[in-house]
Amino acid sequence: MSTYSDASSVSAPVPRALRRAGFSGVVPALAFVAIFFIVPVAALLLRSVLEPVPGFGNYAELLGSATYLKIFANTFIVSGLVTAISLLIGFPVAWALAIMPGRLASVIFAILLLSMWTNLLARTYAWMVLLQRTGLINKMLMGMGLINQPLPLVNNLTGVTIGMTYIMLPFIILPLYGVIKKIDPAILQAAALCGASRRQCLTRVLLPLAVPGMAAGALLVFVMSLGYFVTPSLLGGTANMMLAELIAQFVQSLVNWGMGGAAALVLLVVTLSLYVVQLRFFGSQNTGGR
Amino acid sequence: MKHTFAFTALAAIMALAIPAKAETLVFSSWGGTTQDAQKAAWANPYTEKTGLQVMQDGPTDYGKLKAMVEANQVTWDVVDVEGDYAAQAGKNGLLEKLDFSVIDKSKLDPRFVTDYSVGSFYYSFVIGCNADAVTACPKTWADLFDTAKFPGKRTFYKWSAPGVIEAALLADGVAADKLYPLDLDRAFKKLDTIKSEIIWWSGGAQSQQLLASAEAPFGSLWNGRMTALAKSGVNAETSWEQNITAADSLVVPKGAPNLEAAMKFIALATSAEPQAALAKATGYAPINLESAKLMDAETAKTLPDQQTASQVNADMSYWAKNRDAIGERWYAWQAK
């Protein structure tokens, strides 16, 4: 990422033939994206202003209804919670990975990646089995005498948050690891030598240096959470419905594509604006997190 | 050079694909054990009889069906849909009219026959209960809505479809023959009283899991799922009191590529023997009135068509007319 932006900022004159060759290489990829992504999305968005009658009626209905606004709020609350908890859990893990011996780290990486590669539906069902009232966790807690009544851990906000955080963790650990690994250990040693306490080393040296990785990971997790479907649908209750589920209902069940398109556009606009904000504050070179 | 090769390859694939397509028929259903049974009871005999292959696809998705018809790119020939959707889609011009010179409708239960659809099988929403998990099982819809007498979580079908609203009204004391037009305000008010105690099931397997694990020890389930639960060794009790019937339907999307074959497939699927075979495998009732004779007494007892005395018929034509309006209210209420 950084090499790319350096090269373009220097903007050395590229020979025309070379430039044309580079461009024609990109054409198939651009055409692919245009045909299979941009055109269908544009068609759905067009429906949002054309169906059932031309105009902005769908948007008025979507943004004027307390129910739909609540679904928007749910989406942001869940995504925010998941991002915050992922960050809290992910940071120490990424840090530990960066400083532990290579062999141990690669074992932990393997575990992380394996969990990412396991079927999402299977993992979500596994959480359902663990969290339900008659599930392993409740049975264990009751067996240990810690609780008398099973805790409501699933079909509610708790269930969605646990399930989604678990699924999102690798997406925050990996970019954070990349950034922390790049921090020169000599800087921390220097800070310690200059009399910084361990706490000061963390809060005034390590954390600020890791901010780009945190921002990149948090954005990734937040944006992915906004559009999440399977896990909230299975682990949440109907009261914590999220936007993706609403869109699916409009498209598949109610066959109301106007409203579905409108909801999809709102989600797209929110996602893009978040990305723009991220680029503005942290710059493109920091989102790579190698 | 590369391009020529790609085009030749593409042409060759297309040349191979076209005759192959003419000899196959694509059937879409909901997956799971029901589609397995449909394959065994309908598709295999059809292939034996006609030599035509039946490709299985799914799950059925109304958005996808509409997109196929609108784009004139229909890949499904016969689709298993819910009865209320079939009635609505027929009206909206998404379906082919069925050819009743090929399909013999004289033996079919007239409740489930329209110009555009015939029943696939019919089922009932019954009151299911895990008898090992509770001291007493609810017997009526009123019981199921009575959280004082029957405390605990109960499970209901998550999607907007005939069944739950009817159950709420019956529980509130509406007479079975006075259900339609549905009094939605009254139904949602009744549902409000148990909303915090409801765990929604979105697919049949989930309803079984909820009941078997006693996560929700009772609720409203498809009768076939209760039969399967009982077979699997769960102490599952079914109350047929005011069981609410609805049917799946077989339809042909407008512009289906193998129209003639589709009609023949539906004719076979709705004939007496394949209907009986499907009923044996799934616990759902046949819609062919002559199938009952072919059933063994043990299986017949567990089917909705033996429970007509206490049966409440969901009104598909009412649902077809009001499906969208009810759906919007339903989801808004759920999300509240």
Side-chain angles (χ1 to χ4, degrees), chain A residues 198-216:
Chain A
R198 294 178 74 125
R199 192 194 169 84
Q200 282 170 323
C201 277
L202 175 68
T203 55
R204 296 181 58 180
V205 182
L206 189 65
L207 273 179
L209 283 172
V211 160
M214 288 198 268

Side-chain angles (χ1 to χ4, degrees), chain A residues 3-22:
Chain A
T3 32
Y4 172 78
S5 57
D6 289 345
S8 66
S9 63
V10 174
S11 81
V14 181
R16 176 173 286 190
L18 199 64
R19 214 183 319 170
R20 203 191 296 152

Side-chain angles (χ1 to χ4, degrees), chain B residues 100-153:
Chain B
F100 288 110
S101 67
V102 179
I103 303 161
D104 178 10
K105 71 172 172 183
S106 66
K107 307 288 190 302
L108 305 184
D109 190 328
R111 286 182 292 172
F112 310 122
V113 179
T114 74
D115 286 354
Y116 297 94
S117 67
V118 290
S120 168
F121 53 80
Y122 92 85
Y123 53 87
S124 281
F125 280 103
V126 295
I127 301 158
C129 171
N130 180 343
D132 285 338
V134 290
T135 46
C137 279
K139 295 280 180 262
T140 65
W141 295 115
D143 288 348
L144 196 57
F145 277 74
D146 189 340
T147 49
K149 238 162 71 186
F150 299 93
K153 299 282 177 193

Side-chain angles (χ1 to χ4, degrees), chain B residues 201-214:
Chain B
W201 57 270
S202 52
Q206 194 190 357
S207 69
Q208 291 175 307
Q209 198 272 337
L210 287 168
L211 208 76
S213 69

Side-chain angles (χ1 to χ4, degrees), chain A residues 47 70 133-134 245 252 257, chain B residues 61 63 70 158 213 215 335:
Chain A
R47 280 172 181 270
K70 185 172 175 256
R133 286 149 45 81
T134 49
E245 212 185 335
Q252 293 185 325
W257 291 354
Chain B
D61 176 330
E70 281 189 1
K158 182 176 178 180
S213 69
E215 183 71 7

